[in-house]
Amino acid sequence: MSIQKCEPVSSLTPWFRQGGQGAVLALLLLVACVIFLAALSVGGMRGGVYGVWDLLTGQGDGLLGRVIVELRLPRALGSMGVGGLLALSGVLMQVLLRNPLADPYVLGLSGGAAFGAILALMAGGSGLWVDGGAWLGAMVTMVMVFWLAGGPGGWERGSRLLLTGVVVASGWGAGVSFLLYWMPDERLRGALFWIMGDLARGGDPWPSLVVLCVVLACVWPFSRALNLLVTGPARAASLGVAVTPVRLALYLLSSLAAASAVATAGSIGFVGLVIPHLLRLVGCVNHRVLLPASALLGGALLTLADLLARTVIAPQQMPVGILTALLGAPVFLWLLHRSLR
Amino acid sequence: MTALLALRGVDLGVGERRFCRQLDWTIQPKERWAVLGPNGAGKSTLLRALAGLHPVNGGEIWLEGSPLGRLSRRAVARRVGILFQEQEYPFPATVLECVLAGRTPHVAFWAPDTAEDHQWAWDALRETGLEALAHRQVDTLSGGERRRMEAATLLVQSPRLMLLDEPTNHLDLGHRIGLLRLLVRKTEEQDGAMILVLHDINLASRFCDHFLFLFGSGESLLGEQEQMLQPALLSRLYRHPMRAVRDGERLYWIPT
């Protein structure tokens, strides 16, 4: 398989060159704000728009106000953070592997995190132990995939890496099934969360938001180096990029981003793949814009997906990971099909 | 006068294969070297080693009097530019964006592209005749156009030492001469030097005054044009009989 190409929509491209890039960021920021407010307003209790307005003008109390502040706000913040992290780690992995199909879910990181978390649950751990297990699982997977798919020219061979990732992911899947089979019934529900990817756990949204800001602040100044790295380590080095330290940093930061996202919300698929691809399709290829734009759009779209997941079959709620995987799988197949042509 | 580049006792190889042993080689400003040799003799690897992109197995390389291995990537990139034999562009980018990348070693790593950077890029595009293609996607270019774009990137980088790995690949005959003339003029303006890997002896003899032969066995030979371009030597190099044909002042080399 050759490395996947994505052609920008040509009519938009010249507009980007003429200073449209700032406008794109402003537009995405606006979209993110609208979706964020919608996520606060919509839910089982009606009249949310007024509730949000009341809160903003400082007179929000009563039940609706508490529902918004204590339930919807942390969830919306969490989905913004997790979506941003997934999209950002997708971009970084794609740079690192020079392959637009790289994504934490496809490479098996989410599977590793789920295995680690469920193993910690089985061992009777809770809270930090489980998060730590997810973290460790993601990190181990990252090392494994990169090491197995490495070797001379290995990282640049898209097929080898994807195959390794897919096989590692299915290995983790089998491990998870094994654990679930032996798991006592009363713990099964908590374990399912890690497989499906759900924002309903109501965890603290701040760690993911903080990690998102830290990772973005660390990589954004290196946009120029990232633009060069996608054309190959040799060319980047010949133009003065210190390739080895930059790649090591990218590797650590993309793992950090993916692992924090998974530890907060379980394995949510394909966000890291679809978001950067969408942006590149409209001509947003410079990492100076692509990095912040991916974080914004990833957060916005995951929040929207979560909003849909908890409203379409209300009063039932669906884990958001099911929705993104349902939408992401066909998109991924379409991209793969295009790259094989 | 400090040599632009100096190799002292350099051993180079990959795996079991040896490309050169104990190579002593000095490249002075204004010199133009051609590296000739059969396929797989290590010409491209040698160029990469000269740019600090491939480790040597022994010996030392000095760039303008400093050991190459001690210089930062950035410091090397300001002095040495390399045109790779093949270059892939897996992600979309326009010609202008690719050419602008040549400014990287000269600006702060976090700095956005300035008007001055664009001036450099447009000058290079004009000189390589690519102005009209500036906003085209790289993967829509023909092989020759892409080669000229890579040369334009090199002009923007403006190194003193240019390492060109088969620079005339994909180029039509007119552009071959035009592009090499342009690169020669640019290195002369900088008091620089160039090293070309070529398979076309006649093109090499037209543009280069010095030759390095890599025989593929670890043996290497270097010297000025008159002593290097000998029928017996070239026949041994390519393992095929070669002879010279005279046309007025010039000698042309053909395989018999």
Side-chain angles (χ1 to χ4, degrees):
Chain A
M1 190 191 77
S2 70
I3 295 172
Q4 154 81 31
K5 311 232 176 202
C6 37
E7 304 279 341
V9 181
S10 53
S11 60
L12 281 170
T13 314
W15 176 70
F16 266 94
R17 302 272 121 55
Q18 280 134 34
Q21 312 214 335
V24 168
L25 282 182
L27 182 70
L28 283 175
L29 194 63
L30 185 70
V31 168
C33 285
V34 169
I35 290 178
F36 186 73
L37 287 177
L40 294 185
S41 310
V42 179
M45 275 186 82
R46 303 207 164 262
V49 182
Y50 305 110
V52 172
W53 176 253
D54 285 349
L55 277 173
L56 287 174
T57 51
Q59 40 189 312
D61 37 14
L63 186 58
L64 183 59
R66 281 186 53 203
V67 165
I68 291 173
V69 172
E70 288 173 19
L71 292 178
R72 293 184 196 161
L73 183 64
R75 189 159 171 170
L77 285 174
S79 58
M80 282 282 169
V82 168
L85 279 174
L86 288 172
L88 201 55
S89 77
V91 174
L92 297 183
M93 287 178 188
Q94 287 157 19
V95 172
L96 205 49
L97 304 165
R98 296 181 63 209
N99 190 322
L101 292 177
D103 158 276
Y105 190 73
V106 175
L107 292 182
L109 255 81
S110 308
F115 184 84
I118 294 172
L119 198 64
L121 270 178
M122 287 260 308
S126 60
L128 266 180
W129 279 101
V130 180
D131 288 354
W135 248 89
L136 201 65
M139 288 299 196
V140 165
T141 313
M142 192 83 172
V143 171
M144 228 160 64
V145 170
F146 275 60
W147 179 65
L148 287 173
W155 285 12
E156 285 143 45
R157 303 267 302 280
S159 51
R160 182 146 132 201
L161 183 91
L162 279 182
L163 275 177
T164 311
V166 167
V167 171
V168 166
S170 69
W172 286 129
V176 165
S177 304
F178 179 80
L179 289 184
L180 289 184
Y181 188 76
W182 292 103
M183 193 161 240
D185 283 355
E186 69 272 16
R187 291 218 188 118
L188 265 180
R189 214 148 172 96
L192 280 183
F193 158 82
W194 292 100
I195 307 167
M196 295 196 206
D198 196 351
L199 290 156
R201 197 169 63 138
D204 187 357
W206 293 110
S208 59
L209 283 170
V210 168
V211 173
L212 176 63
C213 293
V214 168
V215 172
L216 192 58
C218 287
V219 291
W220 194 68
F222 291 93
S223 306
R224 204 182 255 277
L226 300 194
N227 290 338
L228 277 174
L229 270 175
V230 295
T231 62
R235 180 167 184 262
S238 79
L239 287 170
V241 176
V243 170
T244 312
V246 170
R247 280 184 118 177
L248 184 67
L250 280 184
Y251 166 77
L252 289 175
L253 288 169
S254 60
S255 313
L256 172 70
S260 326
V262 178
T264 312
S267 47
I268 293 177
F270 299 109
V271 175
L273 175 86
V274 173
I275 303 294
H277 214 91
L278 274 179
L279 287 166
R280 287 202 195 95
L281 272 178
V282 295
C284 190
V285 292
N286 186 339
H287 287 84
R288 194 175 290 281
V289 185
L290 183 61
L291 289 169
S294 290
L296 273 176
L297 189 62
L301 281 195
L302 189 64
T303 308
L304 184 65
D306 186 48
L307 179 61
L308 290 176
R310 65 186 167 87
T311 50
V312 277
I313 51 166
Q316 290 288 322
Q317 294 202 359
M318 175 164 62
V320 68
I322 295 181
L323 199 72
T324 60
L326 275 177
L327 296 175
V331 175
F332 179 81
L333 287 177
W334 174 67
L335 295 176
L336 194 64
H337 173 72
R338 256 175 41 135
S339 79
L340 289 170
R341 257 203 320 234
Chain B
M1 181 173 61
T2 327
L4 199 45
L5 195 73
L7 281 72
R8 294 289 166 258
V10 166
D11 283 339
L12 184 66
V14 172
E16 293 293 298
R17 291 180 297 157
R18 279 287 151 264
F19 300 143
C20 61
R21 285 197 188 88
Q22 291 296 313
L23 177 64
D24 291 318
W25 183 16
T26 308
I27 292 118
Q28 300 289 355
K30 300 254 195 294
E31 287 181 351
R32 294 195 293 273
W33 285 80
V35 179
L36 303 186
N39 296 136
K43 304 182 292 295
S44 298
T45 311
L46 178 63
L47 275 203
R48 282 171 182 257
L50 298 184
L53 301 173
H54 193 278
V56 292
N57 302 70
E60 281 179 329
I61 302 179
W62 300 76
L63 176 62
E64 291 181 345
S66 318
L68 186 62
R70 297 258 189 83
L71 293 171
S72 70
R73 282 290 351 144
R74 218 172 129 76
V76 175
R78 280 193 216 140
R79 298 172 174 84
V80 183
I82 182 165
L83 189 72
F84 293 103
Q85 195 177 349
E86 296 287 341
Q87 175 62 51
E88 273 183 19
Y89 299 89
F91 287 77
T94 64
V95 172
L96 180 63
E97 284 164 343
C98 282
V99 172
L100 267 171
R103 287 291 291 164
T104 308
H106 302 283
V107 297
F109 71 89
W110 65 85
D113 299 324
T114 62
E116 193 198 343
D117 299 332
H118 279 265
Q119 190 60 50
W120 273 93
W122 281 103
D123 286 346
L125 287 172
R126 193 159 33 246
E127 282 175 303
T128 46
L130 292 172
E131 267 178 306
L133 306 181
H135 294 297
R136 279 263 295 276
Q137 286 295 313
V138 175
D139 52 8
T140 66
L141 298 184
S142 76
E145 287 166 342
R146 200 188 274 208
R147 210 63 186 143
R148 278 150 59 202
M149 176 192 84
E150 282 153 9
T153 312
L154 199 61
L155 293 186
V156 171
Q157 190 183 355
S158 70
R160 265 189 90 194
L161 178 63
M162 289 191 186
L163 309 174
L164 311 171
D165 198 347
E166 302 189 26
T168 54
N169 267 2
H170 306 297
L171 289 180
D172 62 58
L173 292 177
H175 275 117
R176 282 183 191 193
I177 306 293
L179 188 76
L180 285 180
R181 274 200 184 138
L182 173 65
L183 293 175
V184 164
R185 182 160 58 79
K186 287 290 167 181
T187 37
E188 275 174 356
E189 283 172 15
Q190 302 240 33
D191 193 30
M194 55 205 285
I195 303 174
L196 294 85
V197 167
L198 284 172
H199 281 298
D200 183 340
I201 306 175
N202 298 315
L203 205 59
S205 72
R206 182 170 178 157
F207 284 100
C208 299
D209 37 36
H210 291 74
F211 282 73
L212 171 72
F213 290 177
L214 293 179
F215 289 87
S217 56
E219 186 191 352
S220 58
L221 208 59
L222 53 86
E224 294 188 12
Q225 181 170 148
E226 300 76 56
Q227 60 190 103
M228 295 299 287
L229 292 189
Q230 302 290 340
L233 212 49
L234 285 171
S235 303
R236 185 155 76 85
L237 182 68
Y238 289 111
R239 295 177 199 119
H240 187 90
M242 302 286 297
R243 68 187 184 95
V245 178
R246 183 170 290 280
D247 174 44
E249 286 293 289
R250 295 185 64 91
L251 279 180
Y252 289 92
W253 294 90
I254 50 168
T256 55

